[in-house]
Amino acid sequence: QQFIRGDANFDSAVDISDPVLILDLLFGSTTVLECADSGDANDDGAIDISDAISVLQTLFNGAGPLPPPYPDVGEDPTSDALGC
């Protein structure tokens, strides 16, 4: 399935709500993402705090773009255990 890297809430936009959802998954009440690959913002094959930080860095610190598929919808160019 196609997705945008960093769009954890799968609403077709990468914004502040995405790292909030990733943190909620890790430390709160959310138990699953609609598309796990979209939450893997740094494309390291796992969802952890570094993904929330990557999105925040991209949005607010000029860290540069997230790995593809970003900023447009696309297929994951890397293989990992996460699916969508």
Side-chain angles (χ1 to χ4, degrees), residues 7-76:
D7 179 21
N9 62 7
F10 218 56
D11 68 351
S12 300
V14 178
D15 56 33
I16 189 67
S17 64
D18 298 302
V20 169
L21 181 60
I22 293 168
L23 293 171
D24 192 39
L25 174 72
L26 296 172
F27 304 110
S29 60
T30 300
T31 57
V32 66
L33 299 179
E34 184 174 339
C35 174
D37 251 334
S38 67
D40 182 17
N42 60 10
D43 197 21
D44 67 354
I47 298 176
D48 54 35
I49 196 164
S50 65
D51 297 303
I53 293 168
S54 293
V55 175
L56 291 169
Q57 293 268 8
T58 296
L59 291 174
F60 301 111
N61 203 22
L66 297 172
Y70 176 88
D72 299 316
V73 174
E75 298 286 330
D76 192 353

